[in-house]
Amino acid sequence: MINVKLVPLKEHDKNQFILDNQEAFRYGAMEEFGLRDDHFEEDGEIISRATIEESIQGGQAFRITFDGKVVGGLVPRIEDEKGDLDILFVSPKTHSKGIGYAAWCEVEKMFPKVKVWETCTPYFEKRNIHFYVNRCGFHRVEFFNEHHRNPHDPEMSDESHDGMSRFQKRIE
């Protein structure tokens, strides 16, 4: 296994965490759509500052380090035996090195009582879908769109619902 550690997010690093998260998601959208993308939550950003801040406040935020350097971040929310992976990102500069998978393995070790994990990702994030399904063992369990809105987040706009998938992993 590669040398990946999860380090609790420090208050002084919160702004950079947000910027790094936005960069990673913007990279995925640009890879798929180029400059014509219209999937932004806020001007120029796939994931808004407010969404990231809400995740940080509601969960436990960690920086992902690889060989001592910060290369990403994640935010799990744990409630008894259920875990929600709100955010997981790795810098595009360090993609395809096993860092995301190693970080996910650390999360599972860190929270061994969790029996059901869930996360969501947009349809165009093919790297994410591959990662969750083929690497981490999640299954796609729901697809949100204008005909099937997310019942857990009824205030989401129609655009935010368009093409989001919910993934689940059960641990026996």
Side-chain angles (χ1 to χ4, degrees), residues 61-73:
F62 297 92
R63 279 307 217 156
I64 300 168
T65 65
F66 173 60
D67 289 338
K69 295 180 185 167
V70 172
V71 295

Side-chain angles (χ1 to χ4, degrees), residues 82-145:
K82 184 176 185 303
D84 287 299
L85 183 60
D86 276 3
I87 293 173
L88 190 155
F89 68 93
V90 174
S91 168
K93 296 172 189 155
T94 58
H95 280 175
S96 301
K97 294 184 177 174
I99 294 168
Y101 180 68
W104 174 250
C105 291
E106 289 299 311
V107 168
E108 286 189 348
K109 283 186 223 169
M110 195 179 279
F111 302 104
K113 292 183 180 178
V114 174
K115 299 299 177 206
V116 178
W117 284 97
E118 289 193 356
T119 195
C120 286
T121 200
Y123 78 92
F124 62 82
E125 287 285 2
K126 293 175 186 171
R127 286 182 66 89
N128 292 359
I129 294 167
H130 162 74
F131 173 74
Y132 290 125
V133 173
N134 298 325
R135 294 284 291 149
C136 299
F138 282 76
H139 298 276
R140 187 183 289 186
V141 295
E142 201 163 14
F143 180 67
F144 303 119
N145 58 67

